[in-house]
Amino acid sequence: MAHEDCEVLYSQLAARGVTRRDFLRFCGSVAALLGLSETMVPRIAAAVESAALKPRVPALWINGGACTGCTESMAQLGSPDVATVVLDLLSVNYFETIMMAQGEDAEKAKADLAAAGGYVLVYEGTVMTGFDGNALRVAGKPQTEELPELCEKAAAILAVGSCAVDGGWVAARPNPAEGIGIQQFCEDHDIATPIINLPTCPVNPEWVVAMVVDVLFLGGLDEQGKVAQALVDKLDDFGRPKLIFGQTIHDNCPRRGHFENGEFVYEFGSEEEARGYCLYAVGCKGPQTFTNCPIVRWNEKATWCVEAGAPCIGCGNANPLSAGGNWVDVGAPFLNRLPDLPLSDTTTVQPAAAASVVGAVAAGALLVHGIGMKAAGRMDGGAPYEEIRESDRKKGGGR
Amino acid sequence: MVFVLTHWINLIAMVCLAFSGFYIHYPFFPGFMGVARGMHFFFMFVIIINLTFRVVAAFFVKTAVSLGSREVDTDIKNWLPQKANRRQLWPWIKYYLFLKKDHPLGAKYGVLQKIAYIVTFPLTFIMAYTGFAIWGPTMDWAFFTAGVSWVGGYMYMRVVHYFLMWVFIIFTAIHAYLANVEGFAPSALIFAWKESEGLHFDKEGNPMSGASH
Ligand code: HEM
Ligand code: SF4
Ligand code: SF4
């Protein structure tokens, strides 16, 4: 690429106080997230540089039943940062929370793009199907009315945050709004648009940036503007990028040594906590939560949950096609080892309590039975054997 | 004889698995997690190999048709329902509920006993399945992830595994109780290979007078 071409991007970066060195370091971390070797860094840089010259890729950011936490999470990239520059290469035509346009203008921009197709649909929040879709009305209509077309015409759907993936906490019991994830919604409407699921509550902006680079700049889209098979192959059974969600928190946790040594925090405010022991006994969900939080970390790599002293509450757990598989139903109460099991919409029981009751009943029954056996004089070799089977006797056999 | 050995292995493995399982579930004292997990991972293979061997051997090894009898048959035949078990389910239930005074006739194992023993085989394999589904090295195999998504995630798989432990504990309690409540002859046999006078019916389940023959 001609030197002048690069200048377009670098002047944009410079305007934000980002040096070339920062930019290359950024490309290195994206390469790591995408599982590419160091040698690919120049290719990523070149791809981003050339993208800066091309017309920007259209995108729609659609909010479902969301707390806008994921928007906030992206917006914390507000300090001058390479990632924001990369995201600027997307032309986000509709973004309720932060767009300038409003009212009919905004709705028209959305409708025009939906008619044209070929955009990236970023979905944040839960699809609210309850009350015939009236649980969430957008521009005077249930959102579920416009959603099929928006999903159908998109080149790819990026489900950001647990809510978009499987309903998240919004869909937790008793879920009166009948919240579901965008993948379930597409499945219900026979929509085949590829979906990339990025759970956690909120979504980690670094992953979004990495996926945008992968989809848009590194050939994730084929000639028809659809997501290439190569990209789909990089997703796991739950539609999540394997590289980001391939290992458990526990696998990479800095407190893992304490776990193996059996050094646990049993109570907050204790000496064990001060020593930074493992948080397993206070309900850490790290052993069954698949994300790379310990490596990528949060808040511009400042820290992350376990390092900051809180047990992982398993917000990266996702089960897009299973009702009740959202991370809250699966993980709450967060400080207990095992989750509450639902008996009804409003009552729950802890597994250990349920098991102890059943165990105690069984033990009691055996005891009572034993007393009966003793009373019946059967302890010593049992009662005498019948001389003939009951069924044979009834048939008139025997005596 | 060979089954005295498998029973011992089974017992030791089960006790170790249940104890280490309890500890993994909640580390009720510090300093033992590495050992507990090592123990669990070792004995989980022991129990699977032992059980598989036990099932295969059942097709070849002959065992007595009833306690104390000299007459033998392939073990599997003594396991599966036999002619002598027919129509005896209800009498056995009545017997244990004190609704029937005399002992129902049976084959080597009574009907209830057979149902219980036959169910433990698939149960142990389900235990192994749920265990491997939450075991690091195997948890992402498609064979296991299918089950994981069916129960609603890894967390619920752990709950299932935990509940199954209780099923085993309760089974073991009932099993030990019934085996010994009418005398310790079965225990003497399975732990020390000491034969006893035995039961009082032959292979066909017909009453016999008194001792072994
Ligand atoms: C038969 C093969 C078995 C396999 C492959 C297996 C495997 C496992 C694994 C991998 C774990 C998780 C350990 C960890 O994350 O550090 C576990 C936990 C556990 N196992 Fe097993 N296990 C088996 C049998 C048993 C048996 C027979 C019992 C009890 C009778 C048992 C009771 C438990 C319990 C209570 C836990 C803790 C569950 C929790 O609260 O998370 N397991 N097992
Ligand atoms: S703090 Fe959590 S993730 Fe870290 S070692 Fe302990 S249980 Fe595993
Ligand atoms: S460490 Fe656990 S709770 Fe924290 S963000 Fe990661 S998955 Fe969520």
Side-chain angles (χ1 to χ4, degrees):
Chain A
M1 185 186 303
H3 185 67
E4 312 81 65
D5 294 347
C6 306
E7 292 310 318
V8 177
L9 177 72
Y10 287 122
S11 64
Q12 283 176 6
L13 289 167
R16 296 190 179 243
V18 178
T19 63
R20 285 174 198 226
R21 179 186 283 266
D22 291 336
F23 176 68
L24 287 178
R25 198 182 307 131
F26 162 83
C27 291
S29 71
V30 169
L33 269 178
L34 298 176
L36 303 172
S37 77
E38 283 284 310
T39 56
M40 285 292 285
V41 171
R43 226 198 107 192
I44 295 175
V48 176
E49 283 160 3
S50 68
L53 297 172
K54 291 198 200 127
R56 296 188 296 167
V57 181
L60 289 176
W61 186 296
I62 302 294
N63 281 72
C67 68
T68 57
C70 291
T71 302
E72 287 288 342
S73 184
M74 297 301 297
Q76 59 93 17
L77 287 174
S79 58
D81 187 296
V82 219
T84 34
V85 176
V86 170
L87 289 179
D88 279 350
L89 300 176
L90 280 177
S91 156
V92 183
N93 295 25
Y94 185 93
F95 196 155
E96 268 164 13
T97 329
I98 57 176
M99 66 191 169
M100 295 285 213
Q102 41 179 303
E104 283 175 9
D105 286 348
E107 292 305 314
K108 182 164 181 310
K110 179 167 69 179
D112 288 350
L113 194 49
Y119 48 90
V120 174
L121 175 69
V122 183
Y123 194 83
E124 169 189 6
T126 310
V127 183
M128 311 285 256
T129 64
F131 310 102
D132 298 321
N134 287 305
L136 177 65
R137 293 175 66 85
V138 177
K141 287 176 301 195
Q143 192 192 40
T144 47
E145 278 181 20
E146 63 172 19
L147 213 43
E149 193 194 357
L150 290 176
C151 293
E152 182 94 59
K153 296 275 191 62
I157 300 174
L158 213 53
V160 296
S162 301
C163 295
V165 172
D166 64 8
W169 64 264
V170 178
R173 274 188 315 272
N175 193 12
E178 292 166 34
I180 54 174
I182 194 81
Q183 186 178 345
Q184 180 73 60
F185 183 81
C186 287
E187 188 106 343
D188 295 345
H189 288 77
D190 289 326
I191 296 168
T193 310
I195 301 172
I196 299 168
N197 283 326
L198 296 175
T200 64
C201 185
V203 71
N204 192 329
E206 316 241 359
W207 303 338
V208 178
V209 172
M211 290 328 291
V212 166
V213 170
D214 206 5
V215 174
L216 298 179
F217 311 141
L218 289 180
L221 295 183
D222 61 21
E223 294 80 53
Q224 288 86 42
K226 282 282 176 192
V227 162
Q229 190 57 35
L231 188 66
V232 175
D233 290 343
K234 291 192 213 164
L235 304 179
D236 67 11
D237 295 345
F238 301 111
R240 307 175 299 185
K242 285 179 199 155
L243 280 157
I244 299 177
F245 298 93
Q247 283 182 312
T248 62
I249 305 247
H250 194 60
D251 286 335
N252 295 308
C253 180
R255 300 190 188 218
R256 179 62 183 263
H258 293 303
F259 174 86
E260 297 295 340
N261 291 342
E263 294 162 348
F264 300 105
V265 175
Y266 292 94
E267 209 183 334
F268 289 108
S270 62
E271 195 187 319
E272 287 83 3
E273 191 196 358
R275 290 203 194 130
Y277 282 178
C278 165
L279 299 162
Y280 186 74
V282 282
C284 183
K285 305 291 183 289
Q288 55 279 326
T289 305
F290 288 75
T291 77
N292 62 9
C293 298
I295 298 166
V296 172
R297 312 162 106 213
W298 284 78
N299 299 325
E300 303 192 26
K301 301 200 191 313
T303 183
W304 63 287
C305 308
V306 169
E307 197 171 326
C312 165
I313 58 177
C315 77
N317 278 306
N319 214 339
L321 300 180
S322 154
N326 64 80
W327 66 277
V328 175
D329 282 350
V330 163
F334 299 135
L335 300 186
N336 283 29
R337 266 275 3 264
L338 296 183
D340 281 343
L341 303 179
L343 295 177
S344 72
D345 273 352
T346 48
T347 46
T348 57
V349 64
Q350 268 285 300
S356 319
V357 168
V358 175
V361 168
L366 283 187
L367 191 70
V368 171
H369 197 267
I371 294 170
M373 290 296 265
K374 179 94 189 151
R378 289 186 191 171
M379 286 270 193
D380 198 12
Y385 279 91
E386 58 192 0
E387 285 181 357
I388 180 167
R389 277 151 222 280
E390 276 187 14
S391 53
D392 292 342
R393 183 158 59 218
K394 283 192 195 118
K395 274 193 287 187
R399 268 165 271 187
Chain B
M1 180 66 197
V2 76
F3 294 139
V4 172
L5 201 66
T6 55
H7 186 265
W8 266 111
I9 295 175
N10 217 14
L11 177 70
I12 294 168
M14 267 298 173
V15 168
C16 291
L17 280 168
F19 177 73
S20 57
F22 254 118
Y23 186 88
I24 296 165
H25 170 66
Y26 190 84
F28 36 85
F29 57 90
F32 191 64
M33 186 56 93
V35 184
R37 293 179 77 226
M39 208 162 146
H40 209 80
F41 300 155
F42 175 73
F43 282 106
M44 74 196 194
F45 288 109
V46 171
I47 206 156
I48 293 166
I49 294 166
N50 188 48
L51 186 82
T52 310
F53 172 78
R54 175 71 180 82
V55 175
V56 173
F59 287 90
F60 300 107
V61 178
K62 293 188 177 218
T63 48
V65 295
S66 79
L67 233 62
S69 170
R70 281 274 167 269
E71 201 178 334
V72 291
D73 211 339
T74 352
D75 192 47
I76 190 76
K77 293 211 180 122
N78 288 324
W79 275 91
L80 298 176
Q82 285 160 304
K83 187 165 153 248
N85 292 116
R86 255 190 243 157
R87 296 204 194 81
Q88 288 295 76
L89 173 62
W90 187 233
W92 275 103
I93 294 177
K94 285 204 293 186
Y95 175 71
Y96 281 124
L97 290 179
F98 303 103
L99 298 174
K100 176 175 166 60
K101 282 221 178 60
D102 42 7
H103 222 303
L105 290 168
K108 181 178 191 179
Y109 306 118
V111 183
L112 291 173
Q113 210 178 355
K114 267 189 187 166
I115 292 173
Y117 291 176
I118 288 169
V119 166
T120 52
F121 285 94
L123 203 60
T124 312
F125 282 118
I126 294 171
M127 194 75 187
Y129 178 84
T130 59
F132 282 118
I134 55 172
W135 190 43
T138 51
M139 75 203 296
D140 56 354
W141 293 9
F143 176 62
F144 296 116
T145 51
V148 168
S149 96
W150 187 66
V151 299
Y154 287 101
M155 206 64 232
Y156 283 134
M157 197 49 113
R158 295 190 81 122
V159 175
V160 172
H161 193 71
Y162 174 74
F163 275 153
L164 281 176
M165 172 183 73
W166 281 92
V167 173
F168 271 104
I169 291 176
I170 291 170
F171 164 80
T172 311
I174 297 175
H175 165 64
Y177 168 81
L178 287 182
N180 294 305
V181 70
E182 295 184 350
F184 295 103
S187 287
L189 180 70
I190 200 66
F191 292 127
W193 193 228
K194 249 215 193 102
E195 293 182 32
S196 68
E197 220 189 32
L199 295 178
H200 304 260
F201 39 78
D202 65 15
K203 187 177 171 184
E204 251 43 276
N206 295 319
M208 306 182 317
S209 54
S212 53
H213 57 175

